Amino acid sequence: MASVPSLASSVEQRVADALASALPEAGATDPLLRRSDRADFQANGILALAKKAKANPRELATTVVEGIPTGDLIREIEVSGPGFLNITITDRAIVETLAARAADDRLGVPLSPSAGTTVIDYAQPNVAKEMHVGHLRSAVIGAAMVEILEFTGETVVRRHHIGDWGTQFGMLIQYLLEHPHELDHKSDEEVSGEEAMSNLNRLYKASRALFDSDEEFKTRARARVVDLQAGEPETLALWQRFVDESKIYFYSVFNKLDMDIRDPDVVGESGYNDMLAETCKLLEDSGVAVRSNGALCVFFDEYKGPDGNPTPLIVQKSDGGFGYAATDLSAIRDRVGSLKADTLIYVVDARQALHFKMVFETARRAGWLNDGVKAVQLAFGTVLGKDGKPFKTREGETVRLVDLLDEAVERATSVVREKAEKVGLTEEEIVENGRYVGIGAVKYADLSTSAARDYKFDLDQMVSLNGDTSVYLQYAYARIRSILRKAGDRSPVAHPELELAPSERALGLHLDGFGELLSEAAAEYAPHKLAAYLYQLSSLFTTFYDQCPVIKPEPEPVVAENRLFLCELTARTLSKGMALLGIRTPEKL
């Protein structure tokens, strides 16, 4: 594995060295290099430096330029305006750098020098409840962040904090105890997610109706909660049946989403039960939490309710029950203490921002989070319908996630079918590609929007072949694979001696920026930046392919080989980038 320095970093180093020798007293200075439409790069750092040294910026710029060698990496530098440097690099440097990337499995992307251990909390459904559209974003954003961070060398521990505890289980367990066959399966064969969910739904409705209408049942159900919390064996065994039945359903939905959720990573609220009392004791003994009207609370000057009184974080209720805060704080202790995490990421709805601010601040005061450990809420916005309001069915119900995914696959399959004859797809391939395109469309629509923003769920737009959609990217990939197949005996070979056309240069420079973009997306927890990079890559490829013949009309052999080389590296970069977003790239579409 060989990491390849990007052209930008090599240019930056040259300019920084020249700055240092022109003004040694200034010390190390950032040249402020960025891509430019006037040249390949522009360096803007001289202005600030000249101001500080009370020098004339244009004169300083001219001195700096004299100290930068040209020829191998940099073709020319011109001073523009008040001391900006416009830098154009050689075609040879572009092709040689890309050839080094192509020779490496990781496309020359370096591992992060500061890699540590991150625990990422995402995909958190509730036991005995149907997953709806609101569960989509946590799962999709979280899974993409796991892949991106792992690719940069981070050790990632996945955690699915499922809702598997609480008072509603008293009602469910009591009902199952009195109607023992309600969760039985029709046959010994593998149970489908649909069957598991309909069992749970039926049982939930029946137990709810009984709870609301029969006082004696309500009393028995409440006593059952106490048994559950005390760990009474029969009650726990029945509770486990609900968890197991729900997992059959969860895994079937995650499977549809083409997502790998592993059993050991599912540690629900119940997983921290044994720590709750100790967490409360530690907080109370250290004075971080205080008793207020019988409840154990943490107060903050900065968070006040509408009445002007401080809004506390309630760790333990006055009746002795534990709130979400006790579980979340215990999870932090476990993740930092046992899992040795130095970063905690919570992919949770933006509406819970206040809760997490208070939880993180409490953990800091208690010393469980310190300068060596950071906790971040990767907050996401709401999924809206085409009308711009929260997504609901016509009847005003929350949309079931399964229905939504099935419809996306159905729409995508018909899009794939329309073109299937032209590319010679079998029925089996049509079905498989329909799944990859449909699920890819849903994921990409989510990931191409900044997580914090709400986004409109519009299936027509998502499976469109035009615009910023995953189908556009998947088609670009499949098209390149088809070009490479048609090339016959001509193979992709880099030719650094060739002069590049403008669209070849633009594509090459963008390909070279893949590693830097990934480290930015990882550092900022911003998968949408990777989506934007890939969309731009596909657009640049389309322009290149329109302007530079690859197969017909047939260019000179060395030109054809070099263009095939650019095609292949684009395909590999697209495929890798899409895989990091959790989206598949079919070979034929």
mmCIF file of all heavy atoms in Angstrom, residues 276-312:
data_model
loop_
_atom_site.group_PDB
_atom_site.id
_atom_site.type_symbol
_atom_site.label_atom_id
_atom_site.label_comp_id
_atom_site.label_asym_id
_atom_site.label_seq_id
_atom_site.Cartn_x
_atom_site.Cartn_y
_atom_site.Cartn_z
ATOM 1 N N LEU A 276 -26.996 1.502 35.899
ATOM 2 C CA LEU A 276 -27.789 2.722 36.149
ATOM 3 C C LEU A 276 -27.667 3.240 37.581
ATOM 4 O O LEU A 276 -27.434 4.435 37.811
ATOM 5 C CB LEU A 276 -29.265 2.486 35.798
ATOM 6 C CG LEU A 276 -29.543 2.076 34.344
ATOM 7 C CD1 LEU A 276 -31.033 1.831 34.120
ATOM 8 C CD2 LEU A 276 -29.054 3.129 33.364
ATOM 9 N N ALA A 277 -27.815 2.326 38.554
ATOM 10 C CA ALA A 277 -27.777 2.757 39.963
ATOM 11 C C ALA A 277 -26.407 3.352 40.290
ATOM 12 O O ALA A 277 -26.295 4.392 40.953
ATOM 13 C CB ALA A 277 -28.084 1.573 40.877
ATOM 14 N N GLU A 278 -25.356 2.702 39.759
ATOM 15 C CA GLU A 278 -24.000 3.185 40.037
ATOM 16 C C GLU A 278 -23.762 4.555 39.371
ATOM 17 O O GLU A 278 -23.148 5.452 39.963
ATOM 18 C CB GLU A 278 -22.971 2.170 39.507
ATOM 19 C CG GLU A 278 -21.560 2.506 39.951
ATOM 20 C CD GLU A 278 -20.503 1.603 39.300
ATOM 21 O OE1 GLU A 278 -20.810 0.938 38.288
ATOM 22 O OE2 GLU A 278 -19.379 1.586 39.812
ATOM 23 N N THR A 279 -24.266 4.709 38.160
ATOM 24 C CA THR A 279 -24.133 6.004 37.462
ATOM 25 C C THR A 279 -24.761 7.115 38.302
ATOM 26 O O THR A 279 -24.159 8.175 38.507
ATOM 27 C CB THR A 279 -24.802 5.928 36.067
ATOM 28 O OG1 THR A 279 -24.084 4.982 35.272
ATOM 29 C CG2 THR A 279 -24.808 7.272 35.361
ATOM 30 N N CYS A 280 -25.964 6.848 38.827
ATOM 31 C CA CYS A 280 -26.655 7.859 39.646
ATOM 32 C C CYS A 280 -25.864 8.151 40.923
ATOM 33 O O CYS A 280 -25.724 9.310 41.327
ATOM 34 C CB CYS A 280 -28.061 7.389 40.005
ATOM 35 S SG CYS A 280 -29.134 7.356 38.566
ATOM 36 N N LYS A 281 -25.334 7.090 41.539
ATOM 37 C CA LYS A 281 -24.575 7.273 42.794
ATOM 38 C C LYS A 281 -23.323 8.118 42.538
ATOM 39 O O LYS A 281 -23.017 9.046 43.289
ATOM 40 C CB LYS A 281 -24.202 5.900 43.368
ATOM 41 C CG LYS A 281 -23.536 5.982 44.750
ATOM 42 C CD LYS A 281 -23.309 4.603 45.334
ATOM 43 C CE LYS A 281 -22.679 4.590 46.715
ATOM 44 N NZ LYS A 281 -21.879 5.729 47.120
ATOM 45 N N LEU A 282 -22.603 7.810 41.456
ATOM 46 C CA LEU A 282 -21.389 8.573 41.119
ATOM 47 C C LEU A 282 -21.722 10.048 40.894
ATOM 48 O O LEU A 282 -20.994 10.946 41.336
ATOM 49 C CB LEU A 282 -20.718 7.995 39.863
ATOM 50 C CG LEU A 282 -20.063 6.617 40.017
ATOM 51 C CD1 LEU A 282 -19.704 6.025 38.647
ATOM 52 C CD2 LEU A 282 -18.799 6.695 40.891
ATOM 53 N N LEU A 283 -22.837 10.299 40.200
ATOM 54 C CA LEU A 283 -23.214 11.694 39.925
ATOM 55 C C LEU A 283 -23.621 12.429 41.197
ATOM 56 O O LEU A 283 -23.275 13.589 41.398
ATOM 57 C CB LEU A 283 -24.371 11.744 38.905
ATOM 58 C CG LEU A 283 -24.020 11.311 37.478
ATOM 59 C CD1 LEU A 283 -25.279 11.187 36.634
ATOM 60 C CD2 LEU A 283 -23.062 12.312 36.829
ATOM 61 N N GLU A 284 -24.331 11.699 42.064
ATOM 62 C CA GLU A 284 -24.796 12.358 43.299
ATOM 63 C C GLU A 284 -23.633 12.569 44.271
ATOM 64 O O GLU A 284 -23.472 13.649 44.844
ATOM 65 C CB GLU A 284 -25.904 11.521 43.954
ATOM 66 C CG GLU A 284 -26.628 12.298 45.039
ATOM 67 C CD GLU A 284 -27.917 11.618 45.520
ATOM 68 O OE1 GLU A 284 -28.180 10.458 45.138
ATOM 69 O OE2 GLU A 284 -28.641 12.265 46.285
ATOM 70 N N ASP A 285 -22.783 11.550 44.424
ATOM 71 C CA ASP A 285 -21.660 11.665 45.361
ATOM 72 C C ASP A 285 -20.695 12.780 44.966
ATOM 73 O O ASP A 285 -20.101 13.434 45.822
ATOM 74 C CB ASP A 285 -20.871 10.334 45.438
ATOM 75 C CG ASP A 285 -21.684 9.257 46.155
ATOM 76 O OD1 ASP A 285 -22.767 9.593 46.692
ATOM 77 O OD2 ASP A 285 -21.248 8.082 46.168
ATOM 78 N N SER A 286 -20.535 12.971 43.631
ATOM 79 C CA SER A 286 -19.574 13.999 43.189
ATOM 80 C C SER A 286 -20.212 15.388 43.171
ATOM 81 O O SER A 286 -19.536 16.374 42.872
ATOM 82 C CB SER A 286 -19.066 13.659 41.788
ATOM 83 O OG SER A 286 -20.168 13.675 40.889
ATOM 84 N N GLY A 287 -21.520 15.448 43.432
ATOM 85 C CA GLY A 287 -22.192 16.753 43.438
ATOM 86 C C GLY A 287 -22.566 17.243 42.049
ATOM 87 O O GLY A 287 -23.078 18.348 41.893
ATOM 88 N N VAL A 288 -22.327 16.421 41.019
ATOM 89 C CA VAL A 288 -22.714 16.836 39.657
ATOM 90 C C VAL A 288 -24.241 16.861 39.545
ATOM 91 O O VAL A 288 -24.828 17.723 38.898
ATOM 92 C CB VAL A 288 -22.101 15.873 38.597
ATOM 93 C CG1 VAL A 288 -22.660 16.156 37.199
ATOM 94 C CG2 VAL A 288 -20.576 15.997 38.589
ATOM 95 N N ALA A 289 -24.896 15.890 40.220
ATOM 96 C CA ALA A 289 -26.366 15.854 40.219
ATOM 97 C C ALA A 289 -26.863 16.078 41.644
ATOM 98 O O ALA A 289 -26.200 15.699 42.610
ATOM 99 C CB ALA A 289 -26.845 14.504 39.703
ATOM 100 N N VAL A 290 -28.034 16.724 41.754
ATOM 101 C CA VAL A 290 -28.611 17.000 43.086
ATOM 102 C C VAL A 290 -30.070 16.565 43.107
ATOM 103 O O VAL A 290 -30.718 16.484 42.065
ATOM 104 C CB VAL A 290 -28.516 18.512 43.441
ATOM 105 C CG1 VAL A 290 -27.069 18.935 43.642
ATOM 106 C CG2 VAL A 290 -29.175 19.375 42.380
ATOM 107 N N ARG A 291 -30.563 16.303 44.310
ATOM 108 C CA ARG A 291 -31.987 15.938 44.461
ATOM 109 C C ARG A 291 -32.834 17.206 44.397
ATOM 110 O O ARG A 291 -32.524 18.207 45.026
ATOM 111 C CB ARG A 291 -32.220 15.249 45.809
ATOM 112 C CG ARG A 291 -31.578 13.874 45.917
ATOM 113 C CD ARG A 291 -32.431 12.790 45.306
ATOM 114 N NE ARG A 291 -31.639 11.572 45.079
ATOM 115 C CZ ARG A 291 -32.040 10.578 44.303
ATOM 116 N NH1 ARG A 291 -33.190 10.644 43.670
ATOM 117 N NH2 ARG A 291 -31.283 9.510 44.144
ATOM 118 N N SER A 292 -33.910 17.129 43.602
ATOM 119 C CA SER A 292 -34.834 18.265 43.519
ATOM 120 C C SER A 292 -36.242 17.683 43.449
ATOM 121 O O SER A 292 -36.540 16.912 42.520
ATOM 122 C CB SER A 292 -34.520 19.076 42.258
ATOM 123 O OG SER A 292 -35.495 20.057 42.072
ATOM 124 N N ASN A 293 -37.063 17.967 44.456
ATOM 125 C CA ASN A 293 -38.413 17.363 44.549
ATOM 126 C C ASN A 293 -38.351 15.842 44.410
ATOM 127 O O ASN A 293 -39.177 15.227 43.742
ATOM 128 C CB ASN A 293 -39.348 17.908 43.457
ATOM 129 C CG ASN A 293 -39.526 19.404 43.588
ATOM 130 O OD1 ASN A 293 -39.479 19.938 44.700
ATOM 131 N ND2 ASN A 293 -39.703 20.086 42.468
ATOM 132 N N GLY A 294 -37.310 15.240 44.995
ATOM 133 C CA GLY A 294 -37.204 13.776 44.990
ATOM 134 C C GLY A 294 -36.513 13.198 43.769
ATOM 135 O O GLY A 294 -36.101 12.046 43.771
ATOM 136 N N ALA A 295 -36.389 14.009 42.704
ATOM 137 C CA ALA A 295 -35.734 13.487 41.485
ATOM 138 C C ALA A 295 -34.253 13.878 41.505
ATOM 139 O O ALA A 295 -33.874 14.879 42.106
ATOM 140 C CB ALA A 295 -36.407 14.066 40.249
ATOM 141 N N LEU A 296 -33.428 13.057 40.843
ATOM 142 C CA LEU A 296 -31.989 13.368 40.757
ATOM 143 C C LEU A 296 -31.764 14.146 39.456
ATOM 144 O O LEU A 296 -32.022 13.629 38.372
ATOM 145 C CB LEU A 296 -31.172 12.066 40.754
ATOM 146 C CG LEU A 296 -29.647 12.239 40.816
ATOM 147 C CD1 LEU A 296 -29.218 12.917 42.116
ATOM 148 C CD2 LEU A 296 -28.948 10.880 40.675
ATOM 149 N N CYS A 297 -31.322 15.409 39.608
ATOM 150 C CA CYS A 297 -31.248 16.308 38.452
ATOM 151 C C CYS A 297 -29.870 16.933 38.301
ATOM 152 O O CYS A 297 -29.149 17.117 39.281
ATOM 153 C CB CYS A 297 -32.244 17.477 38.614
ATOM 154 S SG CYS A 297 -33.933 16.945 38.860
ATOM 155 N N VAL A 298 -29.558 17.296 37.043
ATOM 156 C CA VAL A 298 -28.360 18.092 36.777
ATOM 157 C C VAL A 298 -28.856 19.424 36.213
ATOM 158 O O VAL A 298 -29.666 19.437 35.275
ATOM 159 C CB VAL A 298 -27.438 17.400 35.756
ATOM 160 C CG1 VAL A 298 -26.166 18.214 35.544
ATOM 161 C CG2 VAL A 298 -27.091 15.984 36.218
ATOM 162 N N PHE A 299 -28.395 20.529 36.791
ATOM 163 C CA PHE A 299 -28.866 21.851 36.354
ATOM 164 C C PHE A 299 -27.809 22.582 35.522
ATOM 165 O O PHE A 299 -26.609 22.396 35.718
ATOM 166 C CB PHE A 299 -29.245 22.711 37.574
ATOM 167 C CG PHE A 299 -30.521 22.254 38.216
ATOM 168 C CD1 PHE A 299 -30.508 21.369 39.295
ATOM 169 C CD2 PHE A 299 -31.752 22.688 37.728
ATOM 170 C CE1 PHE A 299 -31.689 20.930 39.883
ATOM 171 C CE2 PHE A 299 -32.947 22.245 38.308
ATOM 172 C CZ PHE A 299 -32.913 21.377 39.384
ATOM 173 N N PHE A 300 -28.287 23.408 34.606
ATOM 174 C CA PHE A 300 -27.410 24.191 33.722
ATOM 175 C C PHE A 300 -27.912 25.626 33.688
ATOM 176 O O PHE A 300 -29.101 25.845 33.466
ATOM 177 C CB PHE A 300 -27.459 23.629 32.290
ATOM 178 C CG PHE A 300 -27.211 22.149 32.213
ATOM 179 C CD1 PHE A 300 -28.252 21.235 32.396
ATOM 180 C CD2 PHE A 300 -25.935 21.658 31.985
ATOM 181 C CE1 PHE A 300 -28.030 19.878 32.347
ATOM 182 C CE2 PHE A 300 -25.702 20.289 31.921
ATOM 183 C CZ PHE A 300 -26.744 19.396 32.116
ATOM 184 N N ASP A 301 -27.006 26.564 33.853
ATOM 185 C CA ASP A 301 -27.423 27.973 33.802
ATOM 186 C C ASP A 301 -27.974 28.352 32.434
ATOM 187 O O ASP A 301 -28.867 29.169 32.311
ATOM 188 C CB ASP A 301 -26.233 28.908 34.120
ATOM 189 C CG ASP A 301 -25.765 28.718 35.559
ATOM 190 O OD1 ASP A 301 -26.579 28.231 36.371
ATOM 191 O OD2 ASP A 301 -24.594 29.030 35.857
ATOM 192 N N GLU A 302 -27.386 27.729 31.393
ATOM 193 C CA GLU A 302 -27.721 28.227 30.045
ATOM 194 C C GLU A 302 -29.027 27.669 29.479
ATOM 195 O O GLU A 302 -29.514 28.146 28.462
ATOM 196 C CB GLU A 302 -26.559 27.959 29.068
ATOM 197 C CG GLU A 302 -26.196 26.498 28.853
ATOM 198 C CD GLU A 302 -25.117 25.984 29.819
ATOM 199 O OE1 GLU A 302 -25.164 26.303 31.027
ATOM 200 O OE2 GLU A 302 -24.237 25.246 29.338
ATOM 201 N N TYR A 303 -29.588 26.610 30.078
ATOM 202 C CA TYR A 303 -30.817 26.033 29.519
ATOM 203 C C TYR A 303 -31.993 26.340 30.432
ATOM 204 O O TYR A 303 -32.090 25.809 31.533
ATOM 205 C CB TYR A 303 -30.659 24.510 29.327
ATOM 206 C CG TYR A 303 -29.440 24.149 28.510
ATOM 207 C CD1 TYR A 303 -28.486 23.244 28.981
ATOM 208 C CD2 TYR A 303 -29.228 24.727 27.264
ATOM 209 C CE1 TYR A 303 -27.358 22.929 28.231
ATOM 210 C CE2 TYR A 303 -28.104 24.421 26.503
ATOM 211 C CZ TYR A 303 -27.165 23.523 26.994
ATOM 212 O OH TYR A 303 -26.062 23.221 26.250
ATOM 213 N N LYS A 304 -32.895 27.205 29.942
ATOM 214 C CA LYS A 304 -34.055 27.585 30.764
ATOM 215 C C LYS A 304 -35.332 27.279 30.001
ATOM 216 O O LYS A 304 -35.370 27.337 28.768
ATOM 217 C CB LYS A 304 -33.993 29.081 31.089
ATOM 218 C CG LYS A 304 -32.827 29.448 32.007
ATOM 219 C CD LYS A 304 -32.910 30.897 32.471
ATOM 220 C CE LYS A 304 -31.975 31.191 33.628
ATOM 221 N NZ LYS A 304 -30.573 30.877 33.387
ATOM 222 N N GLY A 305 -36.371 26.973 30.751
ATOM 223 C CA GLY A 305 -37.667 26.701 30.137
ATOM 224 C C GLY A 305 -38.375 28.015 29.812
ATOM 225 O O GLY A 305 -37.859 29.094 30.110
ATOM 226 N N PRO A 306 -39.581 27.916 29.212
ATOM 227 C CA PRO A 306 -40.329 29.133 28.847
ATOM 228 C C PRO A 306 -40.624 30.024 30.068
ATOM 229 O O PRO A 306 -40.764 31.235 29.940
ATOM 230 C CB PRO A 306 -41.637 28.595 28.258
ATOM 231 C CG PRO A 306 -41.460 27.123 28.077
ATOM 232 C CD PRO A 306 -40.278 26.683 28.849
ATOM 233 N N ASP A 307 -40.678 29.400 31.269
ATOM 234 C CA ASP A 307 -40.994 30.176 32.483
ATOM 235 C C ASP A 307 -39.750 30.856 33.073
ATOM 236 O O ASP A 307 -39.824 31.511 34.117
ATOM 237 C CB ASP A 307 -41.634 29.260 33.546
ATOM 238 C CG ASP A 307 -40.747 28.050 33.851
ATOM 239 O OD1 ASP A 307 -39.626 27.973 33.275
ATOM 240 O OD2 ASP A 307 -41.166 27.188 34.641
ATOM 241 N N GLY A 308 -38.597 30.678 32.399
ATOM 242 C CA GLY A 308 -37.383 31.328 32.907
ATOM 243 C C GLY A 308 -36.642 30.497 33.938
ATOM 244 O O GLY A 308 -35.529 30.833 34.348
ATOM 245 N N ASN A 309 -37.245 29.375 34.371
ATOM 246 C CA ASN A 309 -36.564 28.503 35.343
ATOM 247 C C ASN A 309 -35.626 27.556 34.595
ATOM 248 O O ASN A 309 -35.901 27.184 33.459
ATOM 249 C CB ASN A 309 -37.586 27.676 36.141
ATOM 250 C CG ASN A 309 -38.385 28.588 37.068
ATOM 251 O OD1 ASN A 309 -37.891 29.604 37.531
ATOM 252 N ND2 ASN A 309 -39.655 28.232 37.279
ATOM 253 N N PRO A 310 -34.518 27.142 35.246
ATOM 254 C CA PRO A 310 -33.588 26.230 34.569
ATOM 255 C C PRO A 310 -34.275 24.914 34.188
ATOM 256 O O PRO A 310 -35.116 24.414 34.936
ATOM 257 C CB PRO A 310 -32.508 25.977 35.623
ATOM 258 C CG PRO A 310 -32.659 27.058 36.629
ATOM 259 C CD PRO A 310 -34.086 27.506 36.594
ATOM 260 N N THR A 311 -33.940 24.388 32.992
ATOM 261 C CA THR A 311 -34.448 23.081 32.566
ATOM 262 C C THR A 311 -33.408 22.047 32.998
ATOM 263 O O THR A 311 -32.292 22.067 32.498
ATOM 264 C CB THR A 311 -34.572 23.028 31.029
ATOM 265 O OG1 THR A 311 -35.419 24.087 30.620
ATOM 266 C CG2 THR A 311 -35.130 21.701 30.549
ATOM 267 N N PRO A 312 -33.759 21.149 33.930
ATOM 268 C CA PRO A 312 -32.731 20.188 34.370
ATOM 269 C C PRO A 312 -32.717 18.946 33.484
ATOM 270 O O PRO A 312 -33.664 18.670 32.761
ATOM 271 C CB PRO A 312 -33.213 19.815 35.779
ATOM 272 C CG PRO A 312 -34.704 19.914 35.693
ATOM 273 C CD PRO A 312 -35.024 20.976 34.683
#
